[in-house]
Amino acid sequence: MDDAQPVEGPRNDDAARRAPAGRAALSGLLAAAAGIGVVELAAGAIDAVPSLVISVGDAVIDSVPGWLERAAIAALGTNDKPVLLASIGLVAALLGAGTGLLARRRFVLGAVAFVLITALGVAAGLAAPDASAVLTVLAGVLGAAVGVAILYHLLAAAADEPASDGSRTAGRRNFLLLAGGAAAVAVVGGVGSRLLMGRERLTELRAAIRLPVPVRPAGPVPAGADLEIPGLTPLFVPNEEFYRIDTALRVPTIDPDEWQLEIRGMVDNPFTITYAELMAMPQIEADITLSCVSNEVGGDLVGNARWQGVPLFRLLERAGLQEGATQLVGRSVDGFTAGFPTVTALDVTEAMVAVGMNGEPLPAEHGFPARLVVPGLYGYVSATKWLSAIELTDWDVDGYWIPRGWAKEGPIKTSTRIDVPGPGRTITAGERPIAGVAWAPTRGIEGVEVRIDDGPWQQAELAERLDVDCWRQWYLPWDATPGVHVIAARATDGLGEVQTDERTPVAPDGASGYPVIEVVVEA
Ligand SMILES: Nc1nc2c(c(=O)[nH]1)N[C@H]1C(S)=C(S)[C@@H](COP(=O)(O)O)O[C@H]1N2
Ligand SMILES: [Mo]
């Protein structure tokens, strides 16, 4: 600092105004980033402090109209979460920069704006399940204090930059040092919170679990049930590749020793069951294809897995259903709900509270420690992850997606998908199989027909049947001739119903129509 010109910094608004606008905006942005970093770190370290970034994201998801949420899932698929979080980061950066510019004019104004924006984040955080109000407010205060302090010193340093003797000044050096420090706080906070937020802990918790031997194991997989054609989706989709759809920006981290499942509502004997008790109950295994109602014709929001768990009807038996308990509503720790007819849980004996997926405890993303899996129903009405309660109600209660424009009932439509020829759909002429998967859970697949160009519908070869609840691979040998070909496929379910050619969009109850692809065959 120059001895001859003591700088008073932004306490003196004139001095603050001397900070160049670009520097002021950058100061605000960095102050915001550091403030967020501090709060996120607190959120990572303390369970009762929610991530404010994620809470704001949750608030956006909750308040966005149903059509927009649907459009986002349609456009972004499983990238919806990263895109939302990046947008929040961008808005925070812009707000921070604006705060910096405001503070340059009058520091108090900038400081007040900073505090108000933090307060909005805190307000969103207070809505999070298990948020401690006191700790969340304290974290917000801490973040705002750090941010405002950094803003103050950065502006002071920026204002001090042009040196009277034209040399690189202490101000510039201070600014760079402080800016680097603020950026470091932001990065450490962001990365640290990610690490602390339970990834490792969950891995440990899951590793400690041994799935009990099921009393009713799934049968052996018959030879020929998986055709193993290159490019064809495997019969069982590995857990890491299984599609994921949910409204949870932060995967709930649940300690199974603290987890409980409540069975309540219109039942004679409401009860609560612990994870250990659930694991001690007789379990079944079942191969079930799960599909999202947002799956477009030909889309990949569908997967098949071997699930393990306790049949729902056993739990309902113990609870004692009351007259009029026509709906079973699954409730998640994160507030998500999904409801379906109680009779389905009674009739479909594979409907279960699942604890295992493909021989492992449920992965965190797929509902650890327990979720519902109901063959034949789209996930949005049935497959509640991170399950906390099973509520028996009448039909008037609506699950999460119903008021957002989706049908009250969601049976999975008979569908097929062409996987081969694969991505790009360009192949060379010769013997090339056409292959795919078809599913109609609870009804099964009896046939798949393929049509090439204007030819007749031809019966495809079906893989061995594994179970009516899971998809079936199919293929048709094809002598591909050079040119552009149009290939269509349609399935017939176990009741003899041919998949409809009537095209409907995914909303409100699932896409219909059969897939038609274009293949370029090169000589
Ligand atoms: N808690 C919770 N469970 C949920 C959802 C959700 O948003 N939250 N989404 C449902 C939907 S729409 C689908 S399609 C399935 C997807 O399950 P998966 O992610 O394991 O494939 O989960 C269902 N269970
Ligand atoms: Mo879904």
Side-chain angles (χ1 to χ4, degrees):
M1 223 167 274
D2 194 331
D3 288 344
Q5 287 191 323
V7 164
E8 288 184 65
R11 247 162 311 163
N12 173 340
D13 285 333
D14 284 330
R17 199 172 292 130
R18 284 200 281 125
R23 283 292 159 102
L26 181 61
S27 300
L29 191 156
L30 286 168
I36 291 172
V38 166
V39 180
E40 292 305 297
L41 200 57
I46 307 166
D47 277 348
V49 176
S51 154
L52 298 192
V53 173
I54 287 172
S55 300
V56 168
D58 285 336
V60 171
I61 293 177
D62 276 351
S63 52
V64 116
W67 63 265
L68 188 56
E69 197 170 358
R70 283 200 302 277
I73 290 181
L76 305 168
T78 51
N79 288 325
D80 55 343
K81 283 176 251 297
V83 169
L84 175 59
L85 290 178
S87 313
I88 291 171
L90 188 67
V91 170
L94 290 175
L95 284 175
T99 308
L101 291 172
L102 208 58
R104 175 177 176 259
R105 299 181 141 261
R106 273 196 67 189
F107 186 74
V108 227
L109 286 185
V112 167
F114 205 101
V115 170
L116 286 180
I117 293 165
T118 311
L120 285 181
V122 169
L126 291 177
D130 333 316
S132 146
V134 174
L135 292 176
T136 305
V137 169
L138 275 180
V141 168
L142 184 68
V146 167
V148 169
I150 287 180
L151 180 61
Y152 177 89
H153 289 289
L154 276 173
L155 284 178
D160 191 26
E161 258 191 48
S164 43
D165 63 358
S167 66
R168 300 233 141 187
T169 62
R172 182 183 195 90
R173 205 166 49 238
N174 279 345
F175 185 85
L176 290 177
L177 274 175
L178 267 170
V185 169
V187 169
V188 167
V191 174
S193 68
R194 276 293 91 109
L195 295 177
L196 287 167
M197 262 188 220
R199 278 276 130 198
E200 276 76 74
R201 218 176 104 233
L202 253 191
T203 315
E204 270 169 42
L205 290 173
R206 285 183 65 243
I209 291 167
R210 308 219 119 258
L211 291 175
V213 175
V215 293
R216 209 182 80 202
V221 178
D226 197 332
L227 299 169
E228 292 177 13
I229 293 171
L232 177 57
T233 308
L235 184 57
F236 292 100
V237 178
N239 291 354
E240 310 72 53
E241 286 161 35
F242 207 92
Y243 83 95
R244 173 189 167 200
I245 288 288
D246 54 60
T247 58
L249 278 174
R250 174 183 176 180
V251 174
T253 311
I254 303 169
D255 183 340
D257 287 338
E258 287 163 19
W259 175 87
Q260 289 194 324
L261 173 61
E262 229 187 303
I263 311 315
R264 62 176 189 226
M266 299 169 76
V267 292
D268 291 330
N269 316 300
F271 63 95
T272 301
I273 186 168
T274 65
Y275 189 69
E277 287 165 343
L278 194 66
M279 294 296 262
M281 285 183 74
Q283 298 194 351
I284 59 164
E285 253 179 354
D287 300 330
I288 300 168
T289 294
L290 190 63
S291 169
C292 185
V293 68
S294 296
N295 195 38
E296 302 281 353
V297 171
D300 57 7
L301 300 180
V302 56
N304 186 59
R306 176 159 289 187
W307 306 92
Q308 173 170 342
V310 173
L312 265 175
F313 75 86
R314 293 246 175 257
L315 296 168
L316 298 184
E317 239 168 36
R318 179 170 157 193
L321 289 172
Q322 288 178 352
E323 187 95 12
T326 51
Q327 186 174 206
L328 190 159
V329 178
R331 188 173 288 279
S332 165
V333 298
D334 68 355
F336 176 86
T337 52
F340 58 92
T342 309
V343 287
T344 307
L346 301 174
D347 291 353
V348 181
T349 54
E350 292 81 11
M352 66 170 100
V353 175
V355 292
M357 180 178 185
N358 289 327
E360 279 178 33
L362 283 182
E365 292 79 6
H366 297 290
F368 182 79
R371 73 175 303 172
L372 293 179
V373 176
V374 182
L377 300 183
Y378 287 121
Y380 82 104
V381 289
S382 68
T384 305
K385 304 193 273 189
W386 313 294
L387 187 66
S388 62
I390 292 172
E391 219 168 82
L392 280 302
T393 70
D394 60 22
W395 198 242
D396 290 342
V397 174
D398 282 338
Y400 180 87
W401 282 109
I402 311 311
R404 291 171 170 81
W406 296 88
K408 178 81 182 183
E409 294 204 56
I412 297 180
K413 295 180 178 177
T414 301
S415 309
T416 185
R417 186 178 70 200
I418 304 170
D419 288 343
V420 180
R425 315 268 199 211
T426 296
I427 55 174
T428 48
E431 284 294 326
R432 301 274 171 260
I434 300 167
V437 283
W439 61 96
T442 69
R443 302 182 297 279
I445 292 294
E446 279 310 318
V448 171
E449 296 161 283
V450 178
R451 191 183 60 199
I452 301 164
D453 299 322
D454 294 326
W457 285 104
Q458 310 177 53
Q459 290 292 342
E461 299 285 335
L462 292 179
E464 284 300 317
R465 180 203 312 286
L466 183 57
D467 192 281
V468 288
D469 291 336
C470 75
W471 63 19
R472 203 163 174 185
Q473 297 177 345
W474 54 264
Y475 82 105
L476 184 78
W478 179 38
D479 188 10
T481 53
V484 176
H485 297 283
V486 175
I487 299 171
R490 65 180 187 193
T492 301
D493 74 7
L495 306 174
E497 293 274 343
V498 178
Q499 182 179 344
T500 177
D501 63 351
E502 189 199 335
R503 277 246 169 201
T504 62
V506 293
D509 64 353
S512 72
Y514 48 73
V516 181
I517 64 164
E518 216 176 71
V519 178
V520 177
V521 181
E522 290 169 347

